[in-house]
Every structure is written in structure tokens, then in C-alpha cells.
Amino acid sequence: MNDEFECDRLDRRRRAIMDAARALFTEQGFERTTLGQIVERAGGSLATVYKLFGNKEGLLDAVVFDKAVSGENLIREFADCGASPANTLRRLAAVLYERFLDPKDVALVRIVIARSIEDADFARRFFETTAMHTRKGLEQMFARWEAQGVRLHGPPDMLAEVFLGLMVSDMQTDAISHGVVARPSAERIAARIEFFLRGAGLEE
Amino acid sequence: MNDEFECDRLDRRRRAIMDAARALFTEQGFERTTLGQIVERAGGSLATVYKLFGNKEGLLDAVVFDKAVSGENLIREFADCGASPANTLRRLAAVLYERFLDPKDVALVRIVIARSIEDADFARRFFETTAMHTRKGLEQMFARWEAQGVRLHGPPDMLAEVFLGLMVSDMQTDAISHGVVARPSAERIAARIEFFLRGAGLEE
DNA sequence: ACAATCGTGTAATGGATATTACACCTTCGC
DNA sequence: GCGAAGGTGTAATATCCATTACACGATTGT
């Protein structure tokens, strides 16, 4: 009972600190946020922060890589559910918007970009576990369709890049620049999807 | 002769300070760069920096908005030179890559994003004088074509968004994340252009 | 050549903050 | 209940840096 309780206590403290840190980092940026503010919001003490995370950078690391959800599996689910390519892409688009324009995600990306100026490796690790996975997932999806006899205008890797660029990249750039962005309307999404389907040779 | 020389001297000093500041800001980020480093590289003195720019933020402002080239005129030149829409877009693509993937520009964008966490207005001003202009320019180009009887799949504003998203946004996101990005190959550009032409209904 | 103007270099000032040290108190096993 | 282990709060430490103050020297118009 000792270990479990101990672990529970530590975990709860860890989570409280990380939650406070994430909130403050995304509100004010990394450098402007002081450990004092974090402790003030999370309760506990400075000493605990240093015990759990080593230093301020360690805390940022923990916050950013907390839940690196893999986009690869997400996409595989959609690709394997038997719908036509056109319909699969239509449903996938909504998920991508959810994923790439989520304010929490966007805020995190901004922090990573800010930090990447000083620590290039930090950004590389982040994007390899997020955007890269999504792109790879899309690429595999297109490749599987091609193997099943679907005729595509262009190689799978190009289509994956283009799909992401066409559907979300410009809005993501906007979101990153402005902090938030309005969810695109259904019509707007639909227009882009149809555009992609024509370009890829997938009109029905 | 007095005024001219004075002005010349001040201008030269101004330029030297801004050049040093831009270099250091893009290398290390805004917060990590000290005014001491800037003066050390530019020569002159701290007092001059404060006289010319007021404070550190004023210097950043001057650096970022130094040469806010308008993308609107750039695009109008291309649109007015009489080539077919397809050929115009083909030549325009190369210019956009030059513009959006230029390492100097990318480095600036990173700084703006980093700063935007603390100062949202700063980012808004920047993107209104750069990306927004380019988008508007594209939109007007498509609208003019439509007025001339060219049949397009979709409204001009959507096409402008999509063209930017399709051609550069994903690479720009990469560039912003990683700092630099390899210039895309001619084939890669060509493939995307043809994709866009199909989607927009502009195949020849 | 002279005196004034203005940039220049140096050296405070003052505040902020990451990090560490330390003494206290809670919590847990026995 | 008791003692140990370890979290907690507070208070130094120590550095770093934007900003200001000041005295010096160069440059210029007369």
C-alpha cells in the first residue's frame, strides 16, 4: 500500500505541476513564465519541481511530450473501415481539422516553434512524433488504395503532402500566427475535398 | 552638406545595428539576445541604440517591419503579362517558393510567432502585411480571370487559399519547424501545379 | 581654431528569476 | 505513538540584463 500511495501522491503532484505549467506556458510563453507562478498555481513547492523535473527545461519537455498521440493509428482506423476513398477522405478531413486546429495543440506548436530557435533538436523530435506520423499514415493509406487498383494522379507521398497542405496547412499557419482560428464551415471543407478529389483523379 | 552627412552617418549606424540585431535575433531568438551582444557586433554604443529605437522592443519592431515587401504588386505583375492562366501559375509557383521558403524570411516568421504568444497584435500586423497581401493578390488574379470568361471550379477566395495551401503552406510549416528546408525539386513543383490545375478545372 | 553638439564607452542601477540550501512538518511503517 | 523519509515553505544566492547616468572625445559650422 505504501508504494501505491506514494506513487499516487507523486503522480498527482506531477500532474498538477504539469497542468499549471502547460496553462501558463501556453498563455505567456516559456520564458515569461516563472517557476514561481507555476508553483503558485499548482500548489506544492519549488523543491518538488526540481526533484521531479530537474529544471525548467525538463518541465517543458515533460509538458510538450506528455501526450504525443500518434496520428498514424488514427488514420489507419479510417482507412480500414471499408468506405470508398472519396468518402474516407471526406470523413478524415473533419478529424484532421479537429486535430490540427485544436487550440490546445496550436498553443503547444507555438511554444515548440519559439523554443526551436534555440534548440533545433527539440522541434525535430516534436514534429517527428506528430505531423510526420500523420503524413506517413496518409501515405500508407494512398499506397494501399493504389495496391487495390485505385488509379491515382501522382505518387502516394506527393498525395499525402498535398492533402495535408490543401486541407489544413494554410489554416494551421493562420492558427499558429494568430493563436486561434475559427473552425472552417462545412461548405468550406467540402469545397476543398472536392478540389482534392478532382486533383487526385478520385471523382466519383 | 551637414544635414546629409549627419543623416548618412545615422542611417549607416541604424543599418549596422539592425543588421546585427536581425542576425542575432534569428540565430538565438529575441529574448536570448542581449543588447550588449548587438552593440558588440554592430559597434557603436548602447546609448545610440536607445536613442534610435527607444528600447529593445522598438528594435525588434524595426527589424521585423524593415522591408515588408508587398506580395500584392508582385503577383499583379505576373497576372498582367498576358500568359495563359496555367502558364502564369507555373511561373508564379517558383516565385512563391522563393518568397515563402527564403531562410531569412522563415527565420523572421519564427521570431514573430515566438513573440506572438506575448503580443498578439505584433503577429497580426506582420501577417497582414505579408501573407494576407499575397492571398489577396492571388484572389484578385483569379477574379480577373473569371471576369475574362475563364471557367473555374470554385470561387476566387477559395482558390487563392487552396493555391497557397497546396503549393507552399506545408513546406512553410516544415521550414518554420526545422529552421530551413530544401528547395523543392522542379518535378515536385510541377506535380503540384498540375494537381492544382486539375482541381481548379484549368487543364489545357 | 573654437565652441557646441552629439555619438560613444563605461560603469552604475535595479529588478527579476533560476537555482540551491535549510529547517520544518506531514505521512507512513512498525 | 514513534522514528525515519521525504515533501514543503521560506529564504538566500548569484547571475543576468534592460535601462539609465555620466563624462569623454570626435565632428562640424562659423
CSV table of all heavy atoms in Angstrom, one decimal, chain C residues 2-3 6-11 13 15 18 20-21 23-25 27-30:
chain,number,residue,atom,x,y,z
C,2,DC,P,41.9,77.9,-30.5
C,2,DC,OP1,42.5,78.9,-29.6
C,2,DC,OP2,42.2,76.5,-30.3
C,2,DC,O5',40.3,78.1,-30.4
C,2,DC,C5',39.7,79.2,-31.0
C,2,DC,C4',38.2,79.2,-30.6
C,2,DC,O4',37.4,78.6,-31.7
C,2,DC,C3',37.9,78.4,-29.4
C,2,DC,O3',36.8,79.1,-28.7
C,2,DC,C2',37.5,77.0,-29.9
C,2,DC,C1',36.8,77.4,-31.2
C,2,DC,N1,37.0,76.4,-32.3
C,2,DC,C2,36.0,76.2,-33.3
C,2,DC,O2,35.0,76.9,-33.2
C,2,DC,N3,36.2,75.3,-34.2
C,2,DC,C4,37.3,74.5,-34.3
C,2,DC,N4,37.5,73.6,-35.2
C,2,DC,C5,38.4,74.7,-33.3
C,2,DC,C6,38.2,75.6,-32.3
C,3,DA,P,36.6,78.9,-27.2
C,3,DA,OP1,36.7,80.1,-26.5
C,3,DA,OP2,37.4,77.7,-26.8
C,3,DA,O5',35.1,78.4,-27.2
C,3,DA,C5',34.1,79.2,-28.0
C,3,DA,C4',32.9,78.3,-28.4
C,3,DA,O4',33.4,77.4,-29.4
C,3,DA,C3',32.3,77.5,-27.2
C,3,DA,O3',30.9,77.5,-27.3
C,3,DA,C2',32.9,76.1,-27.5
C,3,DA,C1',33.0,76.1,-29.0
C,3,DA,N9,33.9,75.1,-29.6
C,3,DA,C8,35.1,74.8,-29.1
C,3,DA,N7,35.8,73.9,-29.8
C,3,DA,C5,34.9,73.7,-30.9
C,3,DA,C6,35.0,72.8,-32.0
C,3,DA,N6,36.1,72.1,-32.3
C,3,DA,N1,34.0,72.8,-32.9
C,3,DA,C2,32.9,73.6,-32.7
C,3,DA,N3,32.7,74.4,-31.6
C,3,DA,C4,33.8,74.4,-30.8
C,6,DC,P,22.5,68.2,-31.2
C,6,DC,OP1,21.5,68.4,-32.3
C,6,DC,OP2,22.0,68.4,-29.8
C,6,DC,O5',23.1,66.8,-31.4
C,6,DC,C5',24.1,66.6,-32.5
C,6,DC,C4',24.9,65.4,-32.2
C,6,DC,O4',26.0,65.7,-31.3
C,6,DC,C3',24.1,64.2,-31.5
C,6,DC,O3',24.5,63.0,-32.1
C,6,DC,C2',24.7,64.3,-30.0
C,6,DC,C1',26.1,64.7,-30.3
C,6,DC,N1,26.8,65.3,-29.1
C,6,DC,C2,28.2,65.1,-29.0
C,6,DC,O2,28.8,64.5,-29.8
C,6,DC,N3,28.8,65.5,-27.9
C,6,DC,C4,28.1,66.2,-26.9
C,6,DC,N4,28.8,66.7,-25.9
C,6,DC,C5,26.7,66.4,-27.0
C,6,DC,C6,26.1,65.9,-28.1
C,7,DG,P,23.5,61.8,-32.0
C,7,DG,OP1,22.7,61.7,-33.2
C,7,DG,OP2,22.8,61.8,-30.6
C,7,DG,O5',24.5,60.6,-32.0
C,7,DG,C5',25.3,60.4,-33.1
C,7,DG,C4',26.7,59.9,-32.7
C,7,DG,O4',27.2,60.8,-31.7
C,7,DG,C3',26.7,58.5,-32.1
C,7,DG,O3',27.9,57.8,-32.6
C,7,DG,C2',26.8,58.7,-30.6
C,7,DG,C1',27.6,60.0,-30.6
C,7,DG,N9,27.4,60.8,-29.4
C,7,DG,C8,26.3,61.4,-29.0
C,7,DG,N7,26.4,62.1,-27.8
C,7,DG,C5,27.7,61.9,-27.5
C,7,DG,C6,28.4,62.3,-26.3
C,7,DG,O6,28.0,63.1,-25.4
C,7,DG,N1,29.8,61.9,-26.4
C,7,DG,C2,30.3,61.2,-27.3
C,7,DG,N2,31.6,60.9,-27.2
C,7,DG,N3,29.7,60.7,-28.4
C,7,DG,C4,28.4,61.1,-28.4
C,8,DT,P,28.0,56.3,-32.4
C,8,DT,OP1,28.7,55.7,-33.6
C,8,DT,OP2,26.7,55.8,-32.0
C,8,DT,O5',29.0,56.2,-31.2
C,8,DT,C5',30.2,57.0,-31.1
C,8,DT,C4',31.0,56.7,-29.9
C,8,DT,O4',30.6,57.6,-28.8
C,8,DT,C3',30.8,55.2,-29.4
C,8,DT,O3',32.1,54.7,-29.1
C,8,DT,C2',30.1,55.5,-28.0
C,8,DT,C1',30.5,56.9,-27.6
C,8,DT,N1,29.5,57.6,-26.8
C,8,DT,C2,29.9,58.2,-25.6
C,8,DT,O2,31.1,58.1,-25.2
C,8,DT,N3,28.9,58.9,-25.0
C,8,DT,C4,27.6,59.0,-25.3
C,8,DT,O4,26.8,59.7,-24.7
C,8,DT,C5,27.3,58.4,-26.6
C,8,DT,C7,25.8,58.5,-27.1
C,8,DT,C6,28.2,57.7,-27.2
C,9,DG,P,32.2,53.1,-29.0
C,9,DG,OP1,33.3,52.6,-29.9
C,9,DG,OP2,30.9,52.5,-29.2
C,9,DG,O5',32.7,52.9,-27.5
C,9,DG,C5',33.9,53.6,-27.1
C,9,DG,C4',34.0,53.6,-25.6
C,9,DG,O4',33.0,54.5,-25.0
C,9,DG,C3',33.7,52.2,-25.0
C,9,DG,O3',34.7,51.8,-24.2
C,9,DG,C2',32.3,52.4,-24.2
C,9,DG,C1',32.3,53.9,-24.0
C,9,DG,N9,30.9,54.4,-24.0
C,9,DG,C8,30.0,54.2,-24.9
C,9,DG,N7,28.8,54.8,-24.7
C,9,DG,C5,29.1,55.5,-23.5
C,9,DG,C6,28.2,56.4,-22.8
C,9,DG,O6,27.1,56.7,-23.0
C,9,DG,N1,28.9,56.9,-21.6
C,9,DG,C2,30.1,56.6,-21.3
C,9,DG,N2,30.6,57.1,-20.1
C,9,DG,N3,31.0,55.8,-22.0
C,9,DG,C4,30.4,55.3,-23.1
C,10,DT,P,34.7,50.5,-23.3
C,10,DT,OP1,36.0,49.9,-23.3
C,10,DT,OP2,33.5,49.7,-23.8
C,10,DT,O5',34.4,51.0,-21.9
C,10,DT,C5',34.7,52.3,-21.5
C,10,DT,C4',34.2,52.6,-20.1
C,10,DT,O4',32.9,53.3,-20.2
C,10,DT,C3',34.0,51.4,-19.3
C,10,DT,O3',34.6,51.6,-18.0
C,10,DT,C2',32.5,51.3,-19.2
C,10,DT,C1',32.0,52.7,-19.4
C,10,DT,N1,30.7,52.8,-20.0
C,10,DT,C2,29.7,53.7,-19.4
C,10,DT,O2,29.9,54.3,-18.4
C,10,DT,N3,28.5,53.7,-20.1
C,10,DT,C4,28.2,53.0,-21.3
C,10,DT,O4,27.1,53.2,-21.8
C,10,DT,C5,29.2,52.2,-21.8
C,10,DT,C7,28.9,51.4,-23.0
C,10,DT,C6,30.4,52.1,-21.1
C,11,DA,P,34.6,50.4,-17.0
C,11,DA,OP1,36.0,50.3,-16.4
C,11,DA,OP2,33.9,49.2,-17.6
C,11,DA,O5',33.6,50.9,-15.9
C,11,DA,C5',33.5,52.4,-15.7
C,11,DA,C4',32.2,52.7,-15.0
C,11,DA,O4',31.1,52.8,-15.9
C,11,DA,C3',31.8,51.6,-14.0
C,11,DA,O3',31.3,52.3,-12.8
C,11,DA,C2',30.7,50.9,-14.7
C,11,DA,C1',30.1,52.0,-15.4
C,11,DA,N9,29.3,51.5,-16.6
C,11,DA,C8,29.6,50.6,-17.5
C,11,DA,N7,28.7,50.4,-18.5
C,11,DA,C5,27.6,51.2,-18.0
C,11,DA,C6,26.4,51.5,-18.6
C,11,DA,N6,25.9,50.9,-19.7
C,11,DA,N1,25.6,52.4,-17.9
C,11,DA,C2,26.0,53.0,-16.8
C,11,DA,N3,27.2,52.8,-16.2
C,11,DA,C4,28.0,51.9,-16.9
C,13,DT,P,25.2,52.7,-7.9
C,13,DT,OP1,25.1,54.0,-7.2
C,13,DT,OP2,25.7,51.5,-7.3
C,13,DT,O5',23.7,52.5,-8.5
C,13,DT,C5',23.2,53.3,-9.6
C,13,DT,C4',21.9,52.8,-10.0
C,13,DT,O4',22.1,52.0,-11.2
C,13,DT,C3',21.1,52.0,-9.0
C,13,DT,O3',19.8,52.4,-9.0
C,13,DT,C2',21.3,50.6,-9.5
C,13,DT,C1',21.3,50.8,-11.0
C,13,DT,N1,22.0,49.7,-11.8
C,13,DT,C2,21.3,49.2,-12.9
C,13,DT,O2,20.2,49.6,-13.3
C,13,DT,N3,22.0,48.2,-13.6
C,13,DT,C4,23.3,47.7,-13.3
C,13,DT,O4,23.8,46.9,-14.0
C,13,DT,C5,23.9,48.3,-12.1
C,13,DT,C7,25.2,47.8,-11.7
C,13,DT,C6,23.2,49.3,-11.4
C,15,DG,P,14.0,48.4,-8.0
C,15,DG,OP1,13.0,49.4,-7.7
C,15,DG,OP2,14.8,47.8,-7.0
C,15,DG,O5',13.4,47.3,-8.9
C,15,DG,C5',13.2,47.5,-10.3
C,15,DG,C4',13.3,46.1,-11.0
C,15,DG,O4',14.7,45.7,-11.1
C,15,DG,C3',12.6,45.0,-10.3
C,15,DG,O3',11.8,44.3,-11.2
C,15,DG,C2',13.7,44.1,-9.7
C,15,DG,C1',14.8,44.4,-10.8
C,15,DG,N9,16.2,44.1,-10.3
C,15,DG,C8,16.7,44.6,-9.2
C,15,DG,N7,18.0,44.2,-9.0
C,15,DG,C5,18.2,43.4,-10.1
C,15,DG,C6,19.4,42.8,-10.5
C,15,DG,O6,20.5,42.7,-9.9
C,15,DG,N1,19.3,42.2,-11.8
C,15,DG,C2,18.1,42.2,-12.5
C,15,DG,N2,18.2,41.5,-13.7
C,15,DG,N3,17.0,42.8,-12.2
C,15,DG,C4,17.1,43.4,-11.0
C,18,DA,P,12.5,31.6,-13.8
C,18,DA,OP1,12.1,32.0,-15.2
C,18,DA,OP2,11.5,31.3,-12.8
C,18,DA,O5',13.5,30.4,-13.9
C,18,DA,C5',14.6,30.6,-14.8
C,18,DA,C4',15.9,30.1,-14.2
C,18,DA,O4',16.2,31.0,-13.1
C,18,DA,C3',15.9,28.7,-13.6
C,18,DA,O3',17.1,28.0,-14.0
C,18,DA,C2',15.8,28.9,-12.1
C,18,DA,C1',16.6,30.2,-12.0
C,18,DA,N9,16.2,31.0,-10.8
C,18,DA,C8,14.9,31.5,-10.5
C,18,DA,N7,14.9,32.2,-9.4
C,18,DA,C5,16.2,32.2,-8.9
C,18,DA,C6,16.8,32.8,-7.8
C,18,DA,N6,16.1,33.5,-6.9
C,18,DA,N1,18.1,32.6,-7.6
C,18,DA,C2,18.7,31.8,-8.5
C,18,DA,N3,18.3,31.3,-9.6
C,18,DA,C4,17.0,31.5,-9.8
C,20,DT,P,20.6,23.8,-8.9
C,20,DT,OP1,21.8,23.0,-9.3
C,20,DT,OP2,19.2,23.1,-8.9
C,20,DT,O5',20.8,24.2,-7.4
C,20,DT,C5',21.8,25.3,-7.1
C,20,DT,C4',21.9,25.6,-5.7
C,20,DT,O4',20.7,26.4,-5.3
C,20,DT,C3',21.8,24.4,-4.7
C,20,DT,O3',22.8,24.7,-3.7
C,20,DT,C2',20.4,24.4,-4.1
C,20,DT,C1',20.1,25.9,-4.1
C,20,DT,N1,18.7,26.3,-4.1
C,20,DT,C2,18.2,27.1,-3.2
C,20,DT,O2,18.9,27.6,-2.3
C,20,DT,N3,16.9,27.4,-3.3
C,20,DT,C4,16.0,26.9,-4.3
C,20,DT,O4,14.8,27.2,-4.3
C,20,DT,C5,16.6,26.0,-5.2
C,20,DT,C7,15.7,25.5,-6.3
C,20,DT,C6,17.9,25.8,-5.1
C,21,DA,P,23.2,23.5,-2.7
C,21,DA,OP1,24.7,23.3,-2.8
C,21,DA,OP2,22.3,22.3,-2.9
C,21,DA,O5',22.9,24.1,-1.3
C,21,DA,C5',22.8,25.5,-1.2
C,21,DA,C4',22.4,25.9,0.2
C,21,DA,O4',21.0,26.3,0.2
C,21,DA,C3',22.4,24.7,1.3
C,21,DA,O3',22.8,25.3,2.5
C,21,DA,C2',21.0,24.2,1.2
C,21,DA,C1',20.2,25.4,1.0
C,21,DA,N9,18.9,25.2,0.3
C,21,DA,C8,18.8,24.4,-0.8
C,21,DA,N7,17.5,24.3,-1.3
C,21,DA,C5,16.9,25.2,-0.5
C,21,DA,C6,15.5,25.7,-0.4
C,21,DA,N6,14.6,25.2,-1.3
C,21,DA,N1,15.2,26.5,0.5
C,21,DA,C2,16.1,27.0,1.4
C,21,DA,N3,17.4,26.6,1.5
C,21,DA,C4,17.7,25.8,0.5
C,23,DA,P,19.5,24.6,9.1
C,23,DA,OP1,20.6,25.5,9.6
C,23,DA,OP2,19.8,23.1,9.0
C,23,DA,O5',18.2,24.8,10.0
C,23,DA,C5',17.4,26.0,9.8
C,23,DA,C4',16.0,25.7,9.7
C,23,DA,O4',15.7,25.0,8.5
C,23,DA,C3',15.5,24.7,10.8
C,23,DA,O3',14.3,25.2,11.4
C,23,DA,C2',15.3,23.4,10.1
C,23,DA,C1',14.9,23.9,8.7
C,23,DA,N9,15.0,23.0,7.6
C,23,DA,C8,16.1,22.2,7.3
C,23,DA,N7,15.9,21.4,6.3
C,23,DA,C5,14.6,21.8,5.8
C,23,DA,C6,13.9,21.4,4.7
C,23,DA,N6,14.3,20.5,3.8
C,23,DA,N1,12.6,21.9,4.5
C,23,DA,C2,12.2,22.8,5.4
C,23,DA,N3,12.9,23.3,6.5
C,23,DA,C4,14.1,22.8,6.6
C,24,DC,P,13.6,24.4,12.6
C,24,DC,OP1,13.3,25.4,13.6
C,24,DC,OP2,14.4,23.2,12.9
C,24,DC,O5',12.2,24.0,12.0
C,24,DC,C5',11.3,24.9,11.3
C,24,DC,C4',10.2,24.2,10.6
C,24,DC,O4',10.8,23.4,9.5
C,24,DC,C3',9.4,23.3,11.5
C,24,DC,O3',8.0,23.6,11.4
C,24,DC,C2',9.7,21.9,10.9
C,24,DC,C1',10.0,22.2,9.5
C,24,DC,N1,10.9,21.2,8.8
C,24,DC,C2,10.5,20.6,7.7
C,24,DC,O2,9.4,20.8,7.2
C,24,DC,N3,11.3,19.7,7.0
C,24,DC,C4,12.5,19.4,7.5
C,24,DC,N4,13.3,18.5,6.9
C,24,DC,C5,13.0,20.1,8.7
C,24,DC,C6,12.2,20.9,9.3
C,25,DC,P,7.0,23.1,12.5
C,25,DC,OP1,6.3,24.3,13.1
C,25,DC,OP2,7.7,22.1,13.4
C,25,DC,O5',5.9,22.3,11.7
C,25,DC,C5',5.7,22.6,10.3
C,25,DC,C4',5.3,21.4,9.5
C,25,DC,O4',6.5,20.6,9.1
C,25,DC,C3',4.5,20.4,10.3
C,25,DC,O3',3.4,20.0,9.6
C,25,DC,C2',5.4,19.2,10.6
C,25,DC,C1',6.3,19.3,9.3
C,25,DC,N1,7.6,18.6,9.4
C,25,DC,C2,8.0,17.8,8.3
C,25,DC,O2,7.3,17.6,7.4
C,25,DC,N3,9.2,17.1,8.4
C,25,DC,C4,10.0,17.3,9.5
C,25,DC,N4,11.2,16.7,9.5
C,25,DC,C5,9.6,18.2,10.6
C,25,DC,C6,8.4,18.8,10.5
C,27,DT,P,-0.6,14.8,6.2
C,27,DT,OP1,-1.6,15.1,5.1
C,27,DT,OP2,-1.1,14.7,7.6
C,27,DT,O5',0.1,13.4,5.8
C,27,DT,C5',1.0,13.4,4.7
C,27,DT,C4',1.8,12.1,4.7
C,27,DT,O4',2.9,12.2,5.7
C,27,DT,C3',1.0,10.9,5.1
C,27,DT,O3',1.2,9.8,4.1
C,27,DT,C2',1.5,10.5,6.5
C,27,DT,C1',3.0,11.0,6.4
C,27,DT,N1,3.6,11.3,7.7
C,27,DT,C2,4.9,10.8,7.9
C,27,DT,O2,5.5,10.2,7.1
C,27,DT,N3,5.4,11.1,9.1
C,27,DT,C4,4.8,11.8,10.1
C,27,DT,O4,5.4,12.0,11.2
C,27,DT,C5,3.5,12.3,9.9
C,27,DT,C7,2.7,13.0,10.9
C,27,DT,C6,2.9,12.0,8.6
C,28,DC,P,0.1,8.6,4.2
C,28,DC,OP1,-0.4,8.4,2.8
C,28,DC,OP2,-0.8,8.7,5.3
C,28,DC,O5',1.2,7.4,4.5
C,28,DC,C5',2.4,7.3,3.7
C,28,DC,C4',3.4,6.4,4.4
C,28,DC,O4',3.9,7.1,5.6
C,28,DC,C3',2.7,5.1,4.9
C,28,DC,O3',3.4,4.0,4.4
C,28,DC,C2',2.7,5.2,6.4
C,28,DC,C1',3.9,6.1,6.7
C,28,DC,N1,3.7,6.9,7.9
C,28,DC,C2,4.8,7.1,8.8
C,28,DC,O2,5.9,6.5,8.6
C,28,DC,N3,4.6,7.8,10.0
C,28,DC,C4,3.4,8.4,10.2
C,28,DC,N4,3.3,9.1,11.3
C,28,DC,C5,2.3,8.2,9.3
C,28,DC,C6,2.5,7.5,8.2
C,29,DG,P,2.7,2.5,4.6
C,29,DG,OP1,2.7,1.8,3.3
C,29,DG,OP2,1.5,2.6,5.4
C,29,DG,O5',3.8,1.8,5.6
C,29,DG,C5',5.2,1.7,5.1
C,29,DG,C4',6.1,1.3,6.3
C,29,DG,O4',6.0,2.3,7.3
C,29,DG,C3',5.8,0.0,6.9
C,29,DG,O3',7.0,-0.7,7.2
C,29,DG,C2',5.0,0.3,8.1
C,29,DG,C1',5.6,1.7,8.5
C,29,DG,N9,4.7,2.6,9.2
C,29,DG,C8,3.4,2.9,8.9
C,29,DG,N7,2.8,3.8,9.7
C,29,DG,C5,3.8,4.0,10.7
C,29,DG,C6,3.7,4.8,11.8
C,29,DG,O6,2.8,5.5,12.2
C,29,DG,N1,4.9,4.7,12.6
C,29,DG,C2,6.0,3.9,12.2
C,29,DG,N2,7.1,4.0,13.0
C,29,DG,N3,6.1,3.2,11.1
C,29,DG,C4,4.9,3.2,10.4
C,30,DC,P,6.9,-2.2,7.8
C,30,DC,OP1,8.1,-2.9,7.3
C,30,DC,OP2,5.5,-2.8,7.4
C,30,DC,O5',6.9,-2.1,9.3
C,30,DC,C5',8.1,-1.5,9.9
C,30,DC,C4',7.9,-1.3,11.4
C,30,DC,O4',6.9,-0.3,11.6
C,30,DC,C3',7.4,-2.5,12.2
C,30,DC,O3',8.3,-3.0,13.1
C,30,DC,C2',6.1,-2.1,12.9
C,30,DC,C1',6.2,-0.6,12.8
C,30,DC,N1,4.9,0.1,12.8
C,30,DC,C2,4.5,1.1,13.7
C,30,DC,O2,5.3,1.3,14.7
C,30,DC,N3,3.3,1.7,13.7
C,30,DC,C4,2.5,1.4,12.7
C,30,DC,N4,1.3,2.0,12.6
C,30,DC,C5,2.8,0.4,11.7
C,30,DC,C6,4.0,-0.2,11.7
